[in-house]
Amino acid sequence: MNIEEVREYALSLPGTTEDQAYGEDWVLFRIEGKIFLHIWLNAPELSCALKLPPEQGQTLRDHYNGIRPAYHLYKVHWNDVLLDEIDGDMVKSLITQSYQLVLSKLPKRLREKYKL
């Protein structure tokens, strides 16, 4: 996958918004104001950062060279996924998991808007 494919997929998830933060070279994707995906446009490697449960993130890091602790984020929860090293279907699955994790932490009245 490339950055544009990641962007398109993230925006296809219900309620996703896109904005910039930390400067013009960061693109964030949110659900109800909560971030589930970071893209650093000037990263040394083509990647995106996703939020995953700590145990799952650690397991993936142990099994895939293309998944690492996120460079600029809280490393327990955030993981850099190197897009040149991880299969596109797996990247989509991880984006969906990150989205659902963040969605699951929202108040019930907001979660109910996004039945997946």
Side-chain angles (χ1 to χ4, degrees):
M1 290 185 86
N2 61 41
I3 294 295
E4 190 57 34
E5 290 170 324
V6 169
R7 179 182 176 272
E8 287 174 13
Y9 183 74
L11 289 172
S12 76
L13 298 170
T16 298
T17 59
E18 173 184 11
D19 63 86
Q20 291 183 314
Y22 323 125
E24 293 180 11
D25 60 341
W26 282 91
V27 181
L28 307 179
F29 297 86
R30 303 173 191 255
I31 177 71
E32 293 293 332
K34 302 295 183 183
I35 301 168
F36 69 92
L37 171 66
H38 290 80
I39 298 175
W40 181 23
L41 299 174
N42 292 330
E45 298 174 282
L46 187 62
S47 64
C48 64
L50 301 167
K51 190 172 193 177
L52 297 170
E55 314 78 43
Q56 180 186 8
Q58 187 59 55
T59 299
L60 290 170
R61 293 174 197 175
D62 292 344
H63 287 90
Y64 296 95
N65 289 331
I67 300 178
R68 303 177 182 159
Y71 182 64
H72 283 300
L73 302 166
Y74 186 46
K75 293 164 180 25
V76 172
H77 296 279
W78 289 93
N79 302 273
D80 280 340
V81 177
L82 305 182
L83 301 177
D84 290 337
E85 296 185 33
I86 301 298
D87 175 72
D89 289 335
M90 184 172 180
V91 174
K92 287 180 181 179
S93 175
L94 293 172
I95 292 170
T96 301
Q97 289 176 50
S98 180
Y99 171 88
Q100 291 174 334
L101 176 65
V102 172
L103 183 62
S104 74
K105 304 296 182 184
L106 294 174
K108 184 177 180 180
R109 65 180 172 75
L110 296 176
R111 285 193 317 263
E112 289 177 349
K113 292 172 31 177
Y114 305 101
K115 302 279 186 198
L116 285 182

